[in-house]
Amino acid sequence: MATKLGVDVRSIRLLLEIGVTAAYEGLPAEGESIVRGVQTFRDDVPQPGVCLIGAFFFQKRYEEAIVEAKAVLKRFPNCQMAKALLGLSMFDAGYRDWETPLKEVVDDGRDEWAINLAKTTLGYEYKSKTPGKQPPVASAPPANMFYA
């Protein structure tokens, strides 16, 4: 298994899952603290930032989720899950142009979990402008979608 500075990648994923789950289950400060700790340690990948977006979203802290999503996308412009969560957060916060990032995710066609989230938010009727990039929409993705 891959390591970074002696830390097993599975341990990092587990910490991210614990952080997001804590935020979802009503322990926002604890969850955010765990995810931010991983984010400090693994600033070379987008997954900790994506998990932080999810933690903010689960707490209905949509403005903070939007700010974090934009920060992740600035560093990792191809992170489709951050873009999908940006659109979802914009939708729940009442922004007008919430569909744009979601349609971009579907049109990009690279990240199945992000596409499923985008399509679910848009409604299943949205069709990609790119033929052949339409994976079937599955049931709700598992918690590991944030760091897959």
Side-chain angles (χ1 to χ4, degrees):
M1 182 53 67
T3 62
K4 179 178 179 184
L5 300 175
V7 178
D8 186 341
V9 171
R10 290 177 296 189
S11 299
I12 294 169
R13 287 181 174 175
L14 181 59
L15 284 170
L16 289 175
E17 187 171 346
I18 290 169
V20 171
T21 302
Y24 179 76
E25 293 293 334
L27 299 168
E30 293 85 347
E32 184 178 339
S33 178
I34 292 167
V35 173
R36 284 194 186 277
V38 175
Q39 188 178 37
T40 300
F41 181 70
R42 288 302 311 257
D43 62 351
D44 59 324
V45 293
Q47 287 83 357
V50 169
C51 288
L52 191 57
I53 299 165
F56 288 148
F57 180 81
F58 290 143
Q59 298 169 57
K60 299 183 184 340
R61 293 164 57 187
Y62 305 123
E63 295 299 326
E64 290 169 87
I66 291 166
V67 169
E68 185 63 27
K70 289 179 179 180
V72 170
L73 288 167
K74 185 174 182 179
R75 288 204 59 207
F76 305 97
N78 293 322
C79 183
Q80 299 304 304
M81 185 54 76
K83 195 176 285 188
L85 289 168
L86 171 63
L88 181 60
S89 298
M90 290 172 66
F91 172 76
D92 281 1
Y95 282 64
R96 298 177 109 190
D97 201 24
W98 61 270
E99 295 173 317
T100 301
L102 297 171
K103 289 179 179 179
E104 289 173 3
V105 168
V106 176
D107 290 342
D108 180 86
R110 284 184 285 167
D111 183 336
E112 183 179 350
W113 297 115
I115 291 167
N116 289 338
L117 178 60
K119 282 184 156 188
T120 300
T121 307
L122 288 166
Y124 298 108
E125 71 277 355
Y126 182 74
K127 301 291 184 205
S128 174
K129 295 176 186 172
T130 310
K133 291 193 173 185
Q134 292 289 319
V137 176
S139 60
N144 68 353
M145 71 178 196
F146 293 125
Y147 54 81

